[in-house]
């Protein structure tokens, strides 16, 4: 692999940085797009597609929840079937080789854990878990999927375009008669995927875990993220304010552009395996 990749100067610099000390890594949608998971934003950081459902809509309207679950019944299996790519795998190997001191992700697909990364801080939650907002019961999304498919057999086999976060574009006509899932413990219809919706803050536990990782880290490496959300931009700013290096492997413009010490504009699924091999973590 080393012979067919000509490393840019910034990558050699990053490699030297990692030899000296293990880095903290922050990942975004760009690391999961090669696994077939669509991103909200393009390379220039511009959001495409319709605006995602807000927390307020989801909580405030039974019709909104019906729309969410119907679309999710079609979209979630594609996220469930997605597999980690060479970038996720390389990060797990780099962590095992102590080149990475911690991993924070904005992704909700669970692919880092599938690749073998441990103790991942999930800023925006995880799509494979569901929580009852009334009794607090935690469930696996796969259990809910089985219930959804049994109750809404008419939707099986419907083809729809996959949208970010396990969503799918589904014609309104399919929503009539859709039966949403109920909590098996308390019977509530307020089951919510364990992900942070638009209009909802990052939970304090994740914010604090991320902040304390930043305090301990000698440097931060951003992978596949434009850092457009404030929660992730804040982490970049925090590292920079401490006078510690901020590096990025990202193709296209970033909100934290002015704070970067070095940037590698190459696909992360090419750069990270190269780093893992070069640093003896292959
Ligand atoms: Zn409940």
């Amino acid at each position: 692999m080393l012979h067919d990749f000509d490393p840019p100067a910034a990558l050699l610099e990053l490699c030297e940085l990692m030899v000296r000390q293990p880095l903290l890594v922050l990942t975004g949608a760009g690391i999961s797009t090669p696994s077939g998971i669509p991103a909200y934003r393009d390379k220039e950081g511009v959001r495409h597609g319709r605006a995602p459902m807000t927390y307020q809509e989801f909580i405030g309207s039974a019709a909104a929840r019906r729309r969410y679950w119907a679309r999710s019944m079609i979209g979630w299996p594609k996220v469930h079937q997605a597999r980690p790519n060479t970038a996720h795998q390389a990060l797990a190997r780099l962590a095992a080789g102590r080149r990475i001191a911690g991993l924070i992700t904005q992704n909700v697909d669970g692919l880092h854990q599938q690749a073998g990364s441990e103790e991942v801080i999930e800023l925006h939650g995880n799509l494979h878990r569901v929580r009852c907002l009334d009794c607090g019961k935690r469930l696996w999304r796969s259990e809910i999927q089985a219930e959804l498919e049994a109750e809404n057999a008419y939707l099986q086999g419907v083809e729809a375009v996959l949208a970010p976060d396990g969503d799918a574009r589904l014609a309104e006509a399919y929503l009539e008669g859709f039966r949403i899932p109920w909590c098996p413990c308390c019977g509530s219809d307020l089951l919510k995927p364990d992900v942070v919706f638009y209009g909802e803050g990052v939970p304090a536990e994740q914010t604090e875990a991320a902040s304390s990782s930043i305090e301990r880290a000698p440097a931060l490496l951003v992978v596949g993220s434009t850092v457009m959300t404030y929660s992730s931009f804040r982490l970049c700013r925090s590292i920079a304010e401490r006078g510690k290096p901020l590096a990025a492997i990202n193709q296209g413009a970033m909100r934290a552009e002015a704070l970067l010490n070095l940037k590698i504009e190459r696909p992360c699924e090419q750069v990270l395996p190269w780093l893992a091999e070069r640093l003896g973590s292959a």
Side-chain angles (χ1 to χ4, degrees):
M1 191 181 299
L2 286 175
H3 57 271
D4 59 11
F5 180 73
D6 181 25
L11 178 52
L12 296 173
E13 220 180 301
L14 174 62
C15 201
E16 276 173 38
L17 193 64
M18 292 176 84
V19 165
R20 288 199 295 273
Q21 54 212 340
L23 307 182
L24 179 63
V25 176
L26 168 67
T27 67
I31 195 171
S32 289
T33 42
S35 291
I37 295 185
Y40 273 122
R41 296 177 190 282
D42 62 21
K43 284 179 183 173
E44 308 313 316
V46 178
R47 198 175 72 198
H48 39 82
R50 62 181 269 175
M53 186 175 291
T54 65
Y55 177 74
Q56 287 73 15
E57 273 181 280
F58 185 85
I59 297 301
S61 148
R65 288 197 292 282
R66 189 170 63 168
R67 189 167 85 240
Y68 176 86
W69 286 114
R71 294 167 60 118
S72 172
M73 176 183 148
I74 303 300
W76 179 79
K78 300 216 169 65
V79 180
H80 186 56
Q81 287 154 14
R83 293 293 168 254
N85 61 60
T86 53
H88 296 104
Q89 288 158 355
L91 282 180
R93 291 199 302 274
L94 285 163
R98 297 184 190 283
R99 302 296 188 185
I100 286 175
L103 183 53
I104 303 172
T105 188
Q106 302 175 74
N107 300 341
V108 296
D109 51 39
L111 291 178
H112 283 303
Q113 292 91 329
Q114 251 194 68
S117 287
E118 292 166 5
E119 292 174 40
V120 181
I121 300 172
E122 297 177 308
L123 284 182
H124 298 159
N126 186 311
L127 203 57
H128 304 304
R129 297 187 303 255
V130 173
R131 203 159 45 88
C132 172
L133 296 183
D134 277 321
C135 75
K137 172 80 177 170
R138 286 177 183 276
L139 300 146
W140 290 111
R141 179 64 176 77
S142 51
E143 300 171 49
I144 300 296
Q145 185 69 14
E147 185 190 334
L148 286 172
E149 288 177 2
E151 294 285 330
N152 302 286
Y154 75 97
L155 269 186
Q156 294 262 29
V158 167
E159 286 295 322
V161 177
L162 187 62
D165 286 356
D167 191 9
R169 300 187 213 295
L170 193 63
E172 289 288 319
Y174 285 119
L175 300 181
E176 274 176 48
F178 185 82
R179 298 171 73 135
I180 67 170
W182 297 81
C183 173
C185 279
C186 74
S188 167
D189 69 345
L190 273 176
L191 291 183
K192 180 179 171 290
D194 211 356
V195 296
V196 175
F197 276 50
Y198 272 69
E200 185 183 13
V202 172
E205 198 185 323
Q206 274 67 40
T207 308
E208 281 158 23
S211 297
S212 73
S213 302
I214 288 284
E215 273 167 38
R216 290 192 308 268
L220 177 65
L221 170 65
V222 177
V223 176
S225 175
T226 55
V227 218
M228 289 305 284
T229 62
Y230 183 70
S231 55
S232 54
F233 175 71
R234 199 178 56 85
L235 299 176
C236 295
R237 202 180 54 190
S238 183
I239 270 283
E241 280 169 1
R242 286 170 165 77
K244 298 172 182 177
L246 176 64
I249 302 170
N250 189 64
Q251 294 182 285
M254 294 171 69
R255 184 176 176 182
E257 200 82 38
L259 303 174
L260 292 174
N261 297 95
L262 63 96
K263 185 181 185 188
I264 298 145
E265 294 207 58
R266 296 276 188 97
C268 57
E269 69 275 20
Q270 198 176 48
V271 172
L272 288 170
W274 184 89
L275 269 173
E277 195 171 334
R278 180 83 166 211
L279 292 168
S281 304

